[in-house]
Amino acid sequence: MNSQCVTEEIRPVDERDFEEMYHIINDAASAYKGIIPADRWHEPYMPGEELRAEIESGVEFTGLYEDGRLTGVMGIQDKGEVELIRHAYVRTLRRNSGIGGKLLKHLCAECRKPILIGTWTDAVWAIRFYEKHGFRRIHDTERKNKLLRRFWNIPERQVETSVVLEDPQNPYRGI
């Protein structure tokens, strides 16, 4: 982006933006290729049917728009006792420009429940991002695994290769 004034808007992503959201997710997810376990990588990283299934399962996506163009998305999913931050992706050309932080802050401001975030163990940049924004990694492997099995619908292989982060100011005490 150039130094001209850019109009930003954070709002729910709707059906009109589905294709652009799909593109952003798969563009940004290319950072995982060669990082996450090879048996968990596929192309596209998130097929359209899977993205639609995530939306149908209750993941609500919010987007940051710059001059009307979708540049980043982040989902949140109400799981009863907690809310999960899901599928946080920023257009590759706009990474490290504060978009993810703005989306995270926006979603967290609306939450009244403990927030949990899951990501790949080897996605150190993602872990650092969440830690920079106040979340703390759960180091107790037994608790981490119980949380992943209870609140996420992921294969056991992904449980083994993932981490969970939580807000230390509002931790989930159910496990």
Side-chain angles (χ1 to χ4, degrees):
M1 296 305 265
N2 57 32
S3 60
Q4 295 176 354
C5 185
V6 175
T7 303
E8 287 185 350
E9 177 186 17
I10 295 177
R11 64 175 168 81
V13 175
D14 62 33
E15 182 61 32
R16 293 172 300 186
D17 295 314
F18 182 87
E19 288 301 319
E20 196 61 27
M21 179 170 59
Y22 167 83
H23 174 75
I24 288 170
I25 288 170
N26 286 294
D27 167 60
S30 65
Y32 294 138
K33 190 173 186 175
I35 303 297
I36 66 172
D39 63 318
R40 301 307 312 144
W41 174 260
H42 46 84
E43 291 197 36
Y45 181 72
M46 185 180 291
E49 316 81 66
E50 185 179 333
L51 178 55
R52 288 202 185 280
E54 289 293 286
I55 293 168
E56 289 170 11
S57 74
V59 178
E60 297 176 1
F61 284 94
T62 296
L64 188 138
Y65 296 77
E66 293 177 330
D67 292 335
R69 184 170 187 227
L70 185 61
T71 57
V73 296
M74 190 174 289
I76 192 158
Q77 186 176 25
D78 188 334
K79 297 297 273 187
E81 302 164 76
V82 300
E83 295 207 50
L84 307 178
I85 297 293
R86 306 283 313 276
H87 311 302
Y89 296 99
V90 173
R91 191 179 297 277
T92 297
L93 295 175
R94 296 294 294 129
R95 279 190 194 141
N96 301 310
S97 63
I99 293 169
K102 290 174 186 175
L103 284 167
L104 183 61
K105 182 178 180 181
H106 176 83
L107 292 178
C108 289
E110 295 184 346
C111 282
R112 298 296 169 248
K113 299 177 183 180
I115 298 171
L116 299 174
I117 303 169
T119 192
W120 299 100
T121 301
D122 291 337
V124 293
W125 66 91
I127 296 167
R128 278 195 308 264
F129 165 79
Y130 292 118
E131 288 176 338
K132 174 181 154 189
H133 291 281
F135 286 83
R136 294 293 168 254
R137 183 174 171 174
I138 295 171
H139 289 283
D140 176 340
T141 303
E142 183 179 342
R143 181 169 181 249
K144 182 256 319 178
N145 290 347
K146 284 181 180 179
L147 290 167
L148 286 166
R149 290 181 186 117
R150 182 169 184 170
F151 294 116
W152 279 266
N153 183 20
I154 57 175
E156 191 61 29
R157 176 73 170 125
Q158 196 165 340
V159 170
E160 296 166 7
T161 57
S162 294
V163 299
V164 174
L165 299 98
E166 68 182 342
D167 179 354
Q169 305 302 313
N170 188 16
Y172 175 62
R173 302 211 188 274
I175 292 178

